[in-house]
């Protein structure tokens, strides 16, 4: 399973102030899932995402985690 938190705002220069302390704040991230044993996700622009991935050993007994590079356009 995978769960996450996202920190994002409507503009690149958004920031919290004393007048608006929650302009940028963390919320639950639901854009990630496990598909066929691989992590699939869609990341919005102007965001920071933290994911927690729980895994179980594979059917062949291997408990290896493979990390493949991702390329963004």
């Amino acid at each position: 399973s995978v769960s996450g938190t996202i920190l994002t705002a409507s503009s690149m220069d958004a920031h919290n102030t004393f007048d608006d302390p929650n302009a940028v704040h963390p919320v639950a991230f639901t854009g990630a899932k496990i598909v066929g044993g691989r992590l699939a996700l869609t990341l919005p622009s102007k965001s920071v995402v933290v994911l927690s991935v729980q895994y179980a050993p594979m059917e062949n007994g291997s408990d290896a985690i493979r990390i493949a590079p991702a390329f963004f356009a």
Side-chain angles (χ1 to χ4, degrees):
S1 69
V2 60
S3 61
T5 302
I6 185 169
L7 184 66
T8 188
S10 59
S11 65
M12 189 66 162
D13 61 350
H15 59 280
N16 293 344
T17 64
F18 288 112
D19 292 330
D20 190 3
N22 292 311
V24 179
H25 61 278
V27 296
F29 179 68
T30 59
K33 58 186 173 181
I34 304 294
V35 178
R38 296 179 183 234
L39 177 64
L41 65 149
T42 302
L43 298 173
S45 62
K46 304 179 295 283
S47 66
V48 175
V49 176
V50 176
L51 295 176
S52 175
V53 179
Q54 301 293 321
Y55 73 98
M58 298 174 66
E59 290 179 8
N60 66 4
S62 170
D63 63 354
I65 299 175
R66 294 185 181 165
I67 300 173
F71 298 95
F72 302 96

